[in-house]
Amino acid sequence: GNSVTQMEGPVTLSEEAFLTINCTYTATGYPSLFWYVQYPGEGLQLLLKATKADDKGSNKGFEATYRKETTSFHLEKGSVQVSDSAVYFCAQVRAAGNKLTFGGGTRVLVKP
Amino acid sequence: EAGVAQSPRYKIIEKRQSVAFWCNPISGHATLYWYQQILGQGPKLLIQFQNNGVVDDSQLPKDRFSAERLKGVDSTLKIQPAKLEDSAVYLCASSLSGQGSEAFFGQGTRLTVV
């Protein structure tokens, strides 16, 4: 079935460090891929998305590229800030039926 | 634009009691999702509606959970009877139809079963 696997956290970084969170998916067909973020005390919100192979989603300095050949959608940011401390979820929507499936989440803690 | 509304925000009940959660999606959103998020885990889809029809309820524990979206707008999720392991945050989300549509989430209902 369709599933999403992402690296476990927590990931602890210093401010201005480079962040990568790995995400791979299994799916029939070509799903749309998403990164959602959950800041402390807040609800889930969309960070970025990509709807087809080789698309790059970007927002707030974060980027992720839809790699069909490796079934991956890794999240990257070149220089993190304390305000980026949150839980990040990789997700997919399969082509048929609009079912939205999440990975387990990765907690990121950025220290000053 | 109003977001996804959920109520209540918090609920504490004893095991074997019943509880209901309410969700009002963004106006015009045909797809509505209910998720269960246990502490430290990713959201798990319980049920997905397209208008007032069920698209996917394969992970809904149907012996105790039920959900409806009678008029294709707001929705209720019920648990009867509750178990200790039902303690979680219950999230409602909605989206327009079509692949690639962003899902918008409510603040969730935190349920504690004691």
Side-chain angles (χ1 to χ4, degrees), chain B residues 28-55:
Chain B
H29 282 193
T31 302
L32 186 149
Y33 308 90
W34 281 103
Y35 288 88
Q36 179 193 61
Q37 187 176 18
I38 292 172
L39 188 64
Q41 298 181 18
K44 170 188 158 186
L45 181 66
L46 293 175
I47 189 166
Q48 177 187 344
F49 292 95
Q50 182 75 12
N51 296 308
N52 62 348
V54 175
V55 174

Side-chain angles (χ1 to χ4, degrees), chain A residues 30-32 34 36 38 41-46 49 51 89 93-105 107, chain B residues 31 33 35 37 40-43 45 48 50 55-56 58-59 91 95-107:
Chain A
Y30 301 103
S32 295
F34 302 82
Y36 281 82
Q38 193 167 36
E42 298 185 19
L44 272 167
Q45 56 187 279
L46 180 69
K49 71 176 185 181
T51 58
F89 294 93
V93 170
R94 66 185 183 191
N98 231 25
K99 180 176 179 178
L100 175 59
T101 306
F102 286 87
R107 181 175 300 276
Chain B
T31 302
Y33 308 90
Y35 288 88
Q37 187 176 18
Q41 298 181 18
L45 181 66
Q48 177 187 344
Q50 182 75 12
V55 174
D56 190 315
S58 57
Q59 297 190 93
L91 298 168
S95 72
L96 294 168
S97 296
Q99 190 183 4
S101 297
E102 172 187 354
F104 293 83
F105 283 80
Q107 288 286 85

Side-chain angles (χ1 to χ4, degrees), chain A residues 46-60:
Chain A
L46 180 69
L47 180 60
L48 54 83
K49 71 176 185 181
T51 58
K52 59 183 187 296
D54 300 324
D55 267 3
K56 178 185 284 188
S58 61
N59 186 25
K60 298 182 179 180

